[in-house]
Amino acid sequence: MSSAKTQKVTPVNNVENNFVYKKYDAPNKIVLSNYAAGNISEYPIEFTKDSKYFFSSIGSCVKIFSTATGAIVKVLSQSSNLGGHSNKITRVILNPKNHLQLYTASLDGTIKLWDYNDDILLKTYNVNAPIQHMVMSPEAPGHAYIVVKSGDEKEKDKSKDNCIVYRFSFGNSDEPSQLRRICSLRDCSSIDITNNGRWLAFGARYKAYVWEINQDTEDVPETQIKEHVSVDLITVLKFHPDRPILAIGDRTGKITLITNYNSDNTEDYVRSLLHWHHLPVRCLTFMADGAYLLSGGEESAMVIWQLDTGHKQFLPRLGGAIDSITISPNHRFYCVGLDDNSIRLINSISQNIEQVIQGLQYAHADNASNPLSTGLIIEPHNHHVVLNGVQGSLQFYDAVSDSHVMNLEILPINRIVRSGDREVIHAHVAHVAFLRSGEWMATVDMRDDKVTTPELFLKFWRWDPDTQAYKLHTRVDYPHTKPITSLTFNPVSRQGPMAITTSEDKTFKVWSLNTNFGRSASGAAAIDTAAWICRSVGVYRDNVPRIAAFSEDGSILAVAFGQAITLWDPYLNSIQAVLAQPNPEDIEDLSFLGDNCPFLIAKSKSHLYVWNILTCKVWWSYYISVDHLAVDIVTNRFAIVSNYSSGNKARVIVFDPKSPNPLALQHMEYKCLSLAWLPKEQDGNTALICLTNKYEIAIHAVKSSSTSEAAVVNNKEDTNALYSTSNNETAPRLLDEMYGSRETERESEEQARIRLKTAQALREEAMTANKKDRSVRHREEGDIAGLSAPSHVLPNVESLFDTFMSSLMTLRIDSSQQEELAPEAMDLDEDAYEDKSVDEDSLLLQDNITKSAKDDFPALSNYFNQKLDQNPTAHKPVVERQASSSESESDDEEDPSNINW
């Protein structure tokens, strides 16, 4: 840190050159863990034969959902490296020959056959052209009718045909697959085939074409194709299951039924009109018996037409425009795909919605009228991802379990998107922020139709633990006179919760929760009557504040006014310092890091700056275009994304603010729309999530680079090999550098033999001394009870009880025996008593493995014997002590109270 603090700001040009042209191996790598979300309702779904599961194409994979729970049970074509599709899948169809197999058609120009039970790719058919539509007939399972793109998408002449209809023959084991050209069209919108496989219809612009299928192999001549002209632009067409009726839906909402379409005489054509939709018809489906026709469009209502009577029934307010309708094989469900990226299973009898599978709502949003202005925000309670949903709402999505949590309506709106040809302008949620504890959420929604007065609302939402949702607490009308540019909360609530808003009216406002409204109440009632009010207003010169950020401890408020960063005391609303950017560009984003990290990250249009708040200087900077910035307050890291100007690719870089060297760098094969760090409850780490241009949430993990680990292992192996094979040259080591190198010495065979012999002698000597010491200690301590023997040689417990108790109560038993034998001992001859004492003492001495004094010290013993009138000194004290003890015990009875129990 000391060297880093004194370093000067690196010149921008040099940093750019080093960063771009010098190859850098990052110590970590960004690994893709999983994909979540995606567009689940863009194309029609397909049911299994038992109606228990259905298939939905999501990007380049196919997800299998359960109709009972709505959960994902399996995913097909997960990776192109394992045989999956490399581009978007446009159609999924069950194999008519085997209902346990599935056909998938994709824009990568291939048709694949899967065993979806075992997730096995059976076969791949190459068409070599992007497939837009595909249909198959149960009666002709060997052929598929496809619509492919032709020509260049950038073709300036829009009047040329850009679609070709083919019949693709799968062929048998001995027959190759082949294509048969049927027709070349411009903007083919729909294709369908009859159940018996005899007629094929496809619509393009103002004409519907009908062709009677034959088995020729040559290209189909135009004379075999019948044309039916429509007054309005055709959007969809569908065959009746039994009768020769072709239903055609157009842009004005009319449904035209052409009867006898297969007749060669145009006078036999009978047209009837069904008209309720006032917006384009997007889908048509007949029931299996052909008595009813189901239609859907942008009105968010499904219409059920009874063909014989013309009676119609409605299922309104489904939640979005209807893109597809599929009926389950058991006729229990109407599976409706909506443009809010949801699939709804409707009971065909009760007409109630039984299951809702919700994807990422922003996948079908109009980016022009509903931009992703909130970005990816992490909700503090459950770590759900919060972002713009349908217009006027926020979506809470669980990226880990890949499931929709809830949809919060910031303001109720009508789902009708158009009134005639005029688009309806809805309110847009521009900003959202959460208090660090998750107790409060703030939102900003705006609406400006350029005709009436613009609408601007600041709303504060309080977390309800009972419903596990946010409820509206305070609404502030027109908090600023011009649009709000940013919204943030103070992470620390020392003096109550605090929020900051910046606006184009050149002011920023401090909002706090005022409880004065509830002084007469107490407890929860006081909180309910409290309201958010503006506490103070801040300005700096005549500049517009673009972004505001709080430090982790809440003591510093940084507000970016143009190219200047101002530091404020949020409680006193006083300016403390001003940080001037080296480059004259407006600051677009500001972020502080976590605890004990005094760095402030700032980005402009073409620069990235890391400020040290302690020194108020630029720590380091880069000349780089940053599209998105995300800060991880747990690990004090931050990530940036730079999208390439051409192509859907991006570059993600992870930094430690202390060093300009990236921790990880990765090139992504997608364009990143937003970036965030997602905490993981399993291991306590954080994951990097990106919203791709395919509206999928890519979850990444930052891990140590395997290349660096492999290099370390190889380096160790090379060092060991060098050390083992060379006697004079060794690899440099840390201790050698500190204390000097040492020479490698090798002992001779004679030296090794002497060393081993000496070590063996010392070991045997130590073992002998240890054995003698244990032997002497064992004899000194003795084993009166005989319990030190191994357990398997000991007698039973009854035999050992007396011996064991005797060893514990030796003194008491000896005293009682001496008291009983004292009168008899007095009548005995003194010589005999001494002999007995001598025998007992000799036994005691033998037991203690100690020789007599005469044997050990003969000279000393003779000396003391002469001095003590030739009396043996070794035995006399013992006899006198025993006699005195017997005399005292014979005079008085032993007092039980004096016994030391």
Side-chain angles (χ1 to χ4, degrees):
M1 290 294 294
S2 60
S3 61
K5 289 181 180 178
T6 58
Q7 72 177 12
K8 297 181 179 180
V9 180
T10 305
V12 173
N13 294 332
N14 294 339
V15 173
E16 181 188 14
N17 293 335
N18 292 337
F19 181 74
V20 175
Y21 299 107
K22 183 179 179 180
K23 182 175 177 57
Y24 173 75
D25 294 330
N28 300 283
K29 60 180 180 179
I30 302 175
V31 181
L32 178 63
S33 302
N34 191 18
Y35 276 111
N39 200 334
I40 66 174
S41 63
E42 184 176 5
Y43 297 102
I45 65 120
E46 181 81 0
F47 279 95
T48 58
K49 202 64 177 178
D50 56 4
S51 302
K52 293 183 178 180
Y53 305 95
F54 65 88
F55 306 91
S56 175
S57 59
I58 303 174
S60 60
C61 66
V62 177
K63 293 185 179 180
I64 306 176
F65 294 87
S66 170
T67 57
T69 63
I72 300 174
V73 297
K74 192 173 291 186
V75 181
L76 303 178
S77 181
Q78 298 189 47
S79 174
S80 59
N81 298 329
L82 301 177
H85 289 284
S86 60
N87 207 336
K88 185 182 297 184
I89 297 175
T90 56
R91 194 69 172 93
V92 290
I93 300 176
L94 282 179
N95 186 2
K97 293 182 179 180
N98 187 348
H99 298 302
L100 299 178
Q101 296 177 357
L102 184 74
Y103 281 109
T104 58
S106 171
L107 294 179
D108 62 3
T110 61
I111 301 174
K112 295 180 182 291
L113 180 62
W114 301 84
D115 183 345
Y116 61 82
N117 274 337
D118 298 328
D119 190 10
I120 298 175
L121 176 63
L122 300 177
K123 199 169 184 180
T124 300
Y125 303 93
N126 291 317
V127 181
N128 299 322
I131 303 174
Q132 293 180 314
H133 306 279
M134 183 177 72
V135 293
M136 296 180 67
S137 172
E139 301 297 329
H143 305 286
Y145 299 88
I146 58 177
V147 178
V148 302
K149 292 182 180 179
S150 63
D152 190 0
E153 294 182 357
K154 299 181 181 180
E155 183 68 36
K156 295 182 180 180
D157 190 1
K158 300 298 182 181
S159 62
K160 291 185 178 181
D161 296 340
N162 54 11
C163 298
I164 303 177
V165 182
Y166 288 104
R167 186 183 73 176
F168 184 82
S169 300
F170 295 106
N172 299 325
S173 58
D174 54 348
E175 295 180 3
S177 57
Q178 59 181 358
L179 282 174
R180 182 187 181 190
R181 185 179 180 277
I182 298 176
C183 185
S184 178
L185 304 170
R186 178 188 171 195
D187 299 334
C188 181
S189 58
S190 180
I191 185 172
D192 193 31
I193 190 172
T194 57
N195 290 337
N196 56 15
R198 293 185 55 190
W199 294 90
L200 180 71
F202 38 92
R205 297 183 62 80
Y206 297 95
K207 292 183 180 180
Y209 303 88
V210 179
W211 174 59
E212 186 176 5
I213 299 174
N214 55 57
Q215 300 303 321
D216 296 340
T217 57
E218 300 295 331
D219 293 346
V220 177
E222 296 182 358
T223 56
Q224 295 184 6
I225 300 175
K226 301 179 175 61
E227 296 182 359
H228 299 273
V229 181
S230 174
V231 178
D232 297 295
L233 194 68
I234 295 176
T235 55
V236 64
L237 51 82
K238 193 71 177 178
F239 277 115
H240 192 278
D242 300 324
R243 293 185 286 177
I245 298 176
L246 177 64
I248 301 174
D250 58 35
R251 186 178 59 179
T252 61
K254 295 190 294 292
I255 301 174
T256 304
L257 301 179
I258 302 178
T259 308
N260 299 327
Y261 60 82
N262 52 1
S263 176
D264 294 332
N265 188 359
T266 57
E267 296 179 358
D268 295 337
Y269 299 156
V270 178
R271 297 195 175 204
S272 57
L273 190 64
L274 303 176
H275 193 188
W276 176 86
H277 300 277
H278 68 282
L279 295 175
V281 180
R282 293 191 178 185
C283 55
L284 293 172
T285 300
F286 283 94
M287 289 190 179
D289 57 359
Y292 292 90
L293 173 66
L294 281 63
S295 64
E298 296 183 11
E299 300 86 1
S300 302
M302 185 174 70
V303 185
I304 303 175
W305 305 85
Q306 190 175 16
L307 298 182
D308 294 338
T309 62
H311 177 74
K312 52 184 175 293
Q313 189 177 358
F314 303 95
L315 289 179
R317 295 182 293 276
L318 293 180
I322 302 175
D323 290 332
S324 63
I325 301 175
T326 306
I327 303 175
S328 62
N330 60 1
H331 311 293
R332 178 183 175 183
F333 294 113
Y334 302 145
C335 186
V336 181
L338 305 181
D339 73 343
D340 66 344
N341 200 17
S342 68
I343 297 174
R344 300 172 187 260
L345 299 180
I346 303 173
N347 191 301
S348 60
I349 299 176
S350 64
Q351 296 185 356
N352 294 326
I353 299 176
E354 293 192 0
Q355 197 66 250
V356 177
I357 297 94
Q358 180 69 62
L360 212 60
Q361 294 178 343
Y362 190 74
H364 279 188
D366 185 4
N367 295 340
S369 60
N370 188 26
L372 188 66
S373 57
T374 62
L376 297 181
I377 308 296
I378 306 301
E379 189 263 329
H381 276 291
N382 303 303
H383 304 312
H384 296 151
V385 180
V386 182
L387 71 162
N388 290 102
V390 295
Q391 285 188 324
S393 67
L394 291 175
Q395 183 181 12
F396 290 68
Y397 198 86
D398 190 347
V400 178
S401 62
D402 194 7
S403 60
H404 168 79
V405 179
M406 70 173 181
N407 183 41
L408 181 63
E409 273 195 340
I410 304 302
L411 70 163
I413 61 173
N414 192 349
R415 295 302 179 189
I416 301 299
V417 297
R418 283 193 294 176
S419 177
D421 294 334
R422 184 172 61 88
E423 294 286 340
V424 177
I425 305 300
H426 293 292
H428 172 66
V429 181
H431 305 283
V432 60
F434 290 91
L435 190 65
R436 183 65 56 83
S437 62
E439 182 182 3
W440 292 97
M441 178 184 73
T443 60
V444 174
D445 56 272
M446 300 181 292
R447 180 182 180 273
D448 187 8
D449 58 359
K450 308 299 182 181
V451 178
T452 59
T453 303
E455 299 176 2
L456 180 62
F457 300 101
L458 172 63
K459 298 177 181 178
F460 293 93
W461 307 72
R462 184 179 174 84
W463 175 260
D464 187 0
D466 296 332
T467 59
Q468 293 291 302
Y470 286 93
K471 290 186 177 180
L472 183 62
H473 183 272
T474 303
R475 191 186 81 172
V476 182
D477 295 354
Y478 298 101
H480 290 269
T481 57
K482 290 187 178 181
I484 294 177
T485 57
S486 71
L487 171 66
T488 185
F489 271 101
N490 190 335
V492 179
S493 303
R494 281 187 310 187
Q495 302 178 7
M498 177 189 297
I500 304 293
T501 56
T502 60
S503 173
E504 293 180 1
D505 61 3
K506 302 179 181 180
T507 65
F508 72 88
K509 293 186 178 182
V510 181
W511 304 85
S512 62
L513 184 64
N514 191 348
T515 58
N516 292 334
F517 297 97
R519 282 185 175 178
S520 59
S522 61
I527 297 178
D528 293 339
T529 55
W532 286 79
I533 62 172
C534 178
R535 197 188 71 177
S536 57
V537 181
V539 296
Y540 179 74
R541 296 182 177 177
D542 197 30
N543 296 332
V544 176
R546 293 295 177 184
I547 189 71
F550 277 99
S551 62
E552 186 65 17
D553 60 357
S555 61
I556 300 177
L557 171 64
V559 183
F561 286 88
Q563 68 182 38
I565 301 176
T566 58
L567 302 181
W568 301 72
D569 186 338
Y571 301 102
L572 301 178
N573 199 30
S574 60
I575 190 169
Q576 304 295 320
V578 178
L579 308 178
Q581 295 293 117
N583 188 273
E585 292 180 348
D586 291 346
I587 301 299
E588 298 178 352
D589 200 354
L590 278 178
S591 291
F592 281 92
L593 290 158
D595 291 333
N596 303 322
C597 193
F599 294 104
L600 174 65
I601 315 301
K603 82 174 186 70
S604 61
K605 183 178 180 180
S606 60
H607 287 80
L608 174 69
Y609 297 98
V610 177
W611 287 85
N612 190 331
I613 301 301
L614 299 179
T615 60
C616 293
K617 294 182 180 179
V618 176
W619 195 252
W620 56 269
S621 65
Y622 269 126
Y623 179 78
I624 184 174
S625 176
V626 179
D627 293 289
H628 304 287
L629 168 68
V631 171
D632 183 13
I633 61 175
V634 178
T635 59
N636 289 334
R637 298 177 298 182
F638 70 94
I640 62 172
V641 171
S642 179
N643 293 319
Y644 294 155
S645 57
S646 60
N648 293 323
K649 293 184 179 181
R651 177 176 52 189
V652 181
I653 311 173
V654 179
F655 286 101
D656 187 324
K658 300 176 183 178
S659 172
N661 296 327
L663 291 178
L665 188 148
Q666 188 69 31
H667 294 271
M668 303 299 180
E669 296 297 326
Y670 55 77
K671 186 177 181 180
C672 182
L673 304 181
S674 187
L675 187 70
W677 290 92
L678 178 66
K680 286 187 176 180
E681 298 180 358
Q682 294 84 357
D683 51 4
N685 297 327
T686 53
L688 187 63
I689 60 174
C690 302
L691 181 63
T692 69
N693 59 311
K694 298 179 181 178
Y695 305 105
E696 295 177 331
I697 298 178
I699 305 176
H700 300 85
V702 180
K703 298 181 179 179
S704 298
S705 178
S706 59
T707 57
S708 62
E709 294 177 357
V712 172
V713 173
N714 294 334
N715 188 19
K716 289 183 178 180
E717 293 177 355
D718 296 340
T719 303
N720 295 334
L722 181 62
Y723 181 81
S724 61
T725 56
S726 176
N727 295 331
N728 299 324
E729 298 179 0
T730 58
R733 298 187 179 185
L734 181 60
L735 293 177
D736 295 341
E737 295 177 358
M738 296 172 60
Y739 302 107
S741 60
R742 61 179 181 179
E743 296 181 358
T744 304
E745 297 181 357
R746 290 180 177 271
E747 60 182 3
S748 61
E749 295 182 359
E750 183 65 22
Q751 291 175 343
R753 186 181 61 81
I754 295 175
R755 180 176 57 80
L756 293 176
K757 185 176 181 180
T758 305
Q760 184 177 3
L762 293 174
R763 183 168 59 253
E764 291 178 353
E765 182 179 353
M767 292 175 63
T768 305
N770 190 19
K771 186 184 299 183
K772 290 181 179 180
D773 182 64
R774 290 200 305 268
S775 167
V776 172
R777 187 165 57 250
H778 172 71
R779 291 172 181 175
E780 290 178 352
E781 295 175 354
D783 183 22
I784 302 175
L787 298 178
S788 62
S791 60
H792 63 278
V793 300
L794 289 176
N796 53 22
V797 179
E798 290 79 0
S799 303
L800 292 175
F801 179 76
D802 294 335
T803 307
F804 177 69
M805 296 303 296
S806 299
S807 65
L808 296 179
M809 305 178 66
T810 304
L811 291 177
R812 182 179 178 187
I813 296 175
D814 291 346
S815 300
S816 60
Q817 290 177 354
Q818 290 176 5
E819 183 180 357
E820 295 175 357
L821 300 176
E824 300 178 359
M826 293 177 65
D827 297 336
L828 295 176
D829 185 44
E830 185 178 356
D831 298 334
Y833 187 80
E834 289 179 357
D835 294 338
K836 183 178 180 180
S837 299
V838 172
D839 295 338
E840 292 178 355
D841 289 347
S842 63
L843 291 175
L844 180 61
L845 292 174
Q846 290 178 2
D847 185 59
N848 291 332
I849 318 299
T850 304
K851 296 182 180 181
S852 64
K854 293 181 179 181
D855 297 334
D856 289 337
F857 309 103
L860 190 61
S861 178
N862 294 334
Y863 172 76
F864 281 107
N865 288 336
Q866 293 175 2
K867 293 295 183 181
L868 297 176
D869 299 330
Q870 303 300 323
N871 294 327
T873 58
H875 310 294
K876 186 175 182 179
V878 179
V879 175
E880 290 178 353
R881 184 168 54 254
Q882 292 177 354
S884 63
S885 177
S886 61
E887 289 176 359
S888 61
E889 291 175 356
S890 62
D891 293 340
D892 299 325
E893 292 288 334
E894 184 181 12
D895 188 3
S897 63
N898 295 329
I899 299 175
N900 187 6
W901 294 99

